[in-house]
Amino acid sequence: MASIVLRNVDKIYAGGVKAVSGLNLEIKDGEFMVLVGPSGCGKSTALRMIAGLEEISNGEILIGDRVVNHLPPKDRDIAMVFQNYALYPHMTVEENLAFGLKLRKMPKAEIQKRVQEAAKMLGLEPYLKRKPAALSGGQRQRVAMGRAIVREPQPFLMDEPLSNLDAKLRVSMRASLKQLHDRLRVTTVYVTHDQVEAMTLGDRVCVLRDGVLQQVDTPQNLFDNP
Ligand code: ADP
Ligand code: ADP
């Protein structure tokens, strides 16, 4: 397991847009941290810098006890869940779940075990031989989650993972996510613009505005002192 620390992190995009300014944040081992704020406040940029999908302009990011500033995404020991699921269309559910582990040369028996466990946890066992095109939106989202779960105990980074689902499914997936985190206690950074989602899911919530941290606290404290 691992904590994630951002120290004085800036992101200035080419053209001069300052997307994130002087961000200091410590996400504790096992904590569910939500980054919330209106569109354009810099939450995706912050997450993408943790993932290594975006270079940082200034400051330092640590995952566990390692400074990861210049490490490529695949060497950061994190699992990412995207809004668009990013499943491989030509692979079955089982192959999609296994892919990230195969890439990392995990022994076959261990891969098999992890894929079975993740499928069981997410109710995907009946669909293992199907391809993504033959799944519903909610099932695809579960596969995307499963690809992160098989990588556990590596931290989960999630960017609006429920935003493509209809309202009803979003509420039920929110409950599943919460259960999953209560069970696995994996360090999680979760980006959303949805305040209800932030308040229900987060152990703590980090509120960003114009690239600047406004508040970081438990949902209860934020609710009491808005
Ligand atoms: P959020 O996730 O909160 O909607 P983003 O992190 O996507 O916010 O964007 C923060 C700011 O950075 C916005 O002003 C956005 O227009 C700008 N931005 C995002 N990505 C790029 C990019 N690749 N190049 C230039 N500016 C960008
Ligand atoms: P990880 O092992 O980190 O879970 P993958 O190995 O599955 O990730 O994917 C590696 C990269 O390929 C990621 O950046 C992911 O977004 C991208 N990717 C995954 N699925 C697709 C797809 N169907 N089409 C294009 N890119 C994809």
Side-chain angles (χ1 to χ4, degrees), residues 19 51 54-55 69 79 82 84 116 120 136 139-140 143 153 156 160 175 189 193:
E54 210 63 78
E55 280 278 334
N69 289 16
F82 297 94
N84 62 7
Q116 289 301 332
K120 190 166 176 210
S136 70
Q139 290 163 348
R140 282 179 209 164
V143 179
F156 294 171
E160 305 257 9
V189 190
H193 64 274

Side-chain angles (χ1 to χ4, degrees), residues 53 73-74 78-82 84-91 96-104 144 147-148 150-151 154:
L53 298 169
K74 67 174 175 51
I78 43 107
M80 183 106 184
V81 181
F82 297 94
N84 62 7
Y85 319 139
L87 303 180
Y88 295 103
H90 58 288
M91 293 183 194
N96 265 286
L97 293 174
F99 186 76
L101 303 179
K102 268 192 191 155
L103 210 63
R104 289 167 179 82
R147 293 206 314 183
V150 296
R151 301 271 300 282
Q154 299 179 353

